Amino acid sequence: MRKKVKQQRELKGPSLTLKWAFASSFFIFVVFTIFAVITYKSTVNLIVAREKSNAQQMMRDTELRLAVAEEAFDAGNIVNYLIADPIKANDYGDNENLYEIDPLIAELGQRLSSLYVYDVYGQTIFKTEDQNLALSSREETAAEITTINDEAGFLMSKPLYSSKTKELLGYGQVFYKLNNFYEIRNRLLSTLIILEIVSLVLSSGLGFILSSYFLKPLKVLRDTMEVIRKNPQSTVHVPKISSNDELADLAEIFNEMLDRMRLYIESQEHFVEDVSHELRTPVAVIEGHLNMLNRWGKDDPEILDESILASLQEISRMKSLVQEMLDLSRAEQSEIMYKNEISNGKEVIYQVFNNFKILYPEFVFTIDDDLPKEEQVQIYRNHFEQLIIIILDNAVKYSTKRKEVHISISKSHNQFEIAIQDFGEGIAEEEVQKVFNRFYRVDKARARNKGGNGLGLSIAKQLVENYKGRISVESSLGQGTIFRIFIPIVAE
Ligand code: ADP
């Protein structure tokens, strides 16, 4: 079934899983790129600075060694000056066994650096490379990256003076190749690119797996909704999701909503069934009478009278039924419209109480009032009246020999409590909770005779609950019944 659903319904855009995977890999890509660029830049700068300082050091060493000369050097004596390390010569100290490799010679031996010495006329008198390199400047030049014979490196030149005579001895020039640097830079670059690609692939793969794992409940939810969309009658639920997160909560809420909706639809269906059932009897009665009159009864004035009376009675029953159904439907909708209405609790009770005393003079109505002052209750006045009338009507309707109705009003826990007690037929224990159901009548025939449609208490319950109140009933068969109504009091 689920497979079928999947085939039939295509998403209009990329799935959430894909979006999530894309977003997470994009984020990782950006973070990694920033990290890689910083690493690359700082490493490159560090190495270039180090190579530059090596070139400068070499120039300084050369200058120091050649400065001991007192006259301009030539190809014959230059090497002697260069191999004598003026610092080391005095610095053997106790370490006679220590043989230290001359740093300048060691540097030159690496073949990355070349040293050129020129005489005062700029002629090469010493070089560590095969090819010649002309003196680039007779002035002192700072180390600059220059390309010579397709190789880049730091080139610097300097005039050399004797430290004693202060005379110009010649010129030194250093060319320090950056081969090592380029090799390291290229390797770093390729390593970073490979790492970037690997992290991109891994993060999108992992993102995809993780998101499809986390969003699995959402798919289940969507599939269930799709099944319901296709078949609103189906009784499916979202399977329990064990992740205990927001999605599990969503599934639970969705299931609760489904149950409520189904209950609502079911009750609507029942309602329609009940209404048509309720209407069938009066319609059948009227139809019977009219048929009879049509066939022969209209000529008999007695039958005519009787039939018209009976039909009128049925019509007035239908009228009251339609009115009550309307009341119920209005009560179901009143929650939003009249939510903030308030009325005077005591005033309404006394008014209805007085009306009933006039309407039913054969009854004894008493009121027990525990309230020292008026209380404001959170309910629309008309609804409050309607509610009390329904209960009082029932008390009168279902009273037997003892025609007494007792009302008491009090206040507890910020609730206005009205108790209405009669001493009539009462309700059997197994029936007592059903009296609030629509169209429920304990004794259908008896109630019908008394004009009851079984909707009064459902209207009352709906009204009370709309205002966050409560209604309850206690009854004992043959003894009487007490209805208790609780309505919230408006806080002062
Ligand atoms: P009805 O219009 O039939 O009175 P209600 O919803 O008001 O409908 O009441 C439902 C049923 O509850 C009644 O048919 C009756 O059997 C029972 N009932 C209600 N109030 C009382 C009462 N005060 N004493 C005994 N039975 C009652």
Side-chain angles (χ1 to χ4, degrees):
M1 181 75 180
R2 205 165 275 171
K3 212 166 186 179
K4 212 168 127 199
V5 167
K6 214 158 106 187
Q7 279 170 359
Q8 281 169 357
R9 198 168 168 88
E10 285 289 318
L11 288 174
K12 291 191 189 82
S15 74
L16 213 53
T17 316
L18 268 182
K19 283 185 195 165
W20 188 347
F22 177 75
S24 64
S25 46
F26 179 72
F27 176 73
I28 289 173
F29 175 75
V30 169
V31 170
F32 191 87
T33 306
I34 293 171
F35 164 79
V37 167
I38 293 173
T39 311
Y40 178 78
K41 280 261 171 212
S42 55
T43 312
V44 162
N45 289 346
L46 190 77
I47 299 174
V48 167
R50 171 113 6 123
E51 299 291 60
K52 190 176 181 176
S53 116
N54 281 348
Q56 288 164 335
Q57 180 63 41
M58 198 169 153
M59 194 68 198
R60 267 199 305 277
D61 274 0
T62 308
E63 190 186 11
L64 208 68
R65 288 178 190 210
L66 297 183
V68 293
E70 290 175 17
E71 57 196 33
F73 22 69
D74 52 38
N77 59 13
I78 182 78
V79 178
N80 295 337
Y81 286 120
L82 279 172
I83 56 172
D85 183 344
I87 302 168
K88 283 282 176 277
N90 309 323
D91 194 29
Y92 282 122
D94 298 335
N95 275 327
E96 281 175 25
N97 298 331
L98 180 71
Y99 182 76
E100 282 197 46
I101 295 171
D102 186 306
L104 179 64
I105 307 297
E107 190 71 69
L108 287 170
Q110 282 192 18
R111 306 204 59 77
L112 273 178
S113 43
S114 349
L115 174 66
Y116 297 85
V117 182
Y118 308 87
D119 62 16
V120 286
Y121 308 107
Q123 297 300 312
T124 311
I125 49 171
F126 179 84
K127 61 180 182 177
T128 57
E129 283 279 327
D130 281 347
Q131 73 258 45
N132 272 327
L133 180 63
L135 179 61
S136 62
S137 165
R138 284 172 189 255
E139 304 292 314
E140 180 174 351
T141 56
E144 290 281 352
I145 295 181
T146 315
T147 308
I148 295 168
N149 295 333
D150 288 339
E151 285 184 305
F154 279 112
L155 180 71
M156 59 189 298
S157 57
K158 198 171 192 181
L160 304 168
Y161 296 95
S162 161
S163 58
K164 271 192 192 146
T165 64
K166 308 287 184 223
E167 268 179 39
L168 180 69
L169 301 171
Y171 301 93
Q173 181 161 268
V174 165
F175 183 56
Y176 200 97
K177 290 178 204 157
L178 286 172
N179 294 10
N180 263 351
F181 159 71
Y182 286 119
E183 196 182 318
I184 293 172
R185 193 191 67 174
N186 292 345
R187 190 168 295 173
L188 181 67
L189 199 64
S190 51
T191 310
L192 287 176
I193 289 173
I194 291 169
L195 275 179
E196 176 109 60
I197 293 169
V198 169
S199 81
L200 198 65
V201 170
L202 275 183
S203 66
S204 45
L206 206 70
F208 190 80
I209 294 170
L210 279 180
S211 59
S212 28
Y213 171 73
F214 286 125
L215 295 178
K216 212 158 139 199
L218 211 59
K219 247 179 103 321
V220 175
L221 206 67
R222 174 173 164 266
D223 290 348
T224 313
M225 284 181 187
E226 185 60 12
V227 171
I228 295 166
R229 190 183 71 91
K230 291 215 159 342
N231 176 19
Q233 307 281 318
S234 84
T235 52
V236 289
H237 272 97
V238 181
K240 183 143 180 48
I241 294 166
S242 51
S243 54
N244 287 335
D245 53 14
E246 286 89 342
L247 289 179
D249 205 30
L250 190 69
E252 220 165 273
I253 292 171
F254 182 73
N255 278 342
E256 273 171 31
M257 206 183 72
L258 265 185
D259 286 341
R260 271 184 163 214
M261 208 178 68
R262 284 176 182 145
L263 208 73
Y264 183 71
I265 294 173
E266 212 172 286
S267 90
Q268 284 304 97
E269 283 170 359
H270 277 158
F271 188 63
V272 174
E273 269 170 34
D274 289 344
V275 169
S276 41
H277 186 257
E278 292 299 318
L279 285 172
R280 202 174 295 147
T281 316
V283 169
V285 172
I286 296 170
E287 194 187 21
H289 281 291
L290 288 179
N291 273 336
M292 188 170 69
L293 292 180
N294 193 29
R295 269 184 272 123
W296 51 270
K298 55 182 176 285
D299 303 326
D300 183 338
E302 208 174 301
I303 298 257
L304 189 65
D305 262 7
E306 199 182 302
S307 288
I308 287 177
L309 210 70
S311 299
L312 278 176
Q313 219 173 25
E314 291 306 320
I315 284 176
S316 88
R317 179 187 304 289
M318 284 201 303
K319 209 169 124 192
S320 83
L321 179 67
V322 169
Q323 183 57 48
E324 281 189 353
M325 284 187 324
L326 207 63
D327 284 347
L328 182 61
S329 138
R330 282 194 187 133
E332 278 169 356
Q333 289 161 15
S334 71
E335 190 181 5
I336 314 127
M337 269 171 77
Y338 298 103
K339 212 172 66 194
N340 297 319
E341 296 280 339
I342 47 175
S343 33
N344 293 331
K346 277 172 71 149
E347 190 192 314
V348 172
I349 299 290
Y350 275 96
Q351 186 197 316
V352 180
F353 165 73
N354 290 329
N355 290 346
F356 266 77
K357 274 205 295 199
I358 298 164
L359 266 172
Y360 302 99
E362 71 277 22
F363 271 80
V364 178
F365 291 95
T366 51
I367 191 158
D368 182 5
D369 181 357
D370 284 349
L371 298 169
K373 62 174 181 61
E374 180 58 283
E375 294 291 349
Q376 304 267 296
V377 283
Q378 187 80 58
I379 185 168
Y380 178 47
R381 187 185 173 109
N382 286 6
H383 286 159
F384 195 19
E385 275 175 25
Q386 193 180 4
L387 177 64
I388 305 301
I389 291 171
I390 290 171
I391 309 296
L392 278 178
D393 252 344
N394 280 350
V396 170
K397 228 167 21 181
Y398 301 106
S399 277
T400 44
K401 273 189 225 132
R402 192 171 159 190
K403 296 193 183 306
E404 253 178 69
V405 177
H406 185 71
I407 305 171
S408 69
I409 47 178
S410 57
K411 176 183 173 180
S412 64
H413 301 107
N414 238 11
Q415 301 259 318
F416 191 86
E417 180 184 344
I418 310 116
I420 296 173
Q421 181 176 21
D422 65 65
F423 305 90
E425 61 191 50
I427 310 162
E429 213 182 312
E430 61 276 16
E431 316 260 15
V432 84
Q433 284 318 318
K434 298 186 202 157
V435 294
F436 295 105
N437 296 348
R438 282 169 180 170
F439 297 108
Y440 189 82
R441 281 153 291 186
V442 174
D443 183 337
K444 262 201 154 123
R446 284 257 300 280
R448 197 172 137 78
N449 287 339
K450 293 179 179 179
N453 295 313
L455 285 177
L457 289 179
S458 353
I459 298 171
K461 186 170 184 327
Q462 184 67 53
L463 285 176
V464 171
E465 285 174 359
N466 283 353
Y467 295 98
K468 301 201 167 54
R470 190 158 59 83
I471 183 166
S472 65
V473 55
E474 296 154 35
S475 188
S476 136
L477 200 59
Q479 305 278 309
T481 309
I482 307 181
F483 279 93
R484 285 181 209 281
I485 300 164
F486 301 86
I487 312 272
I489 290 176
V490 182
E492 278 162 26

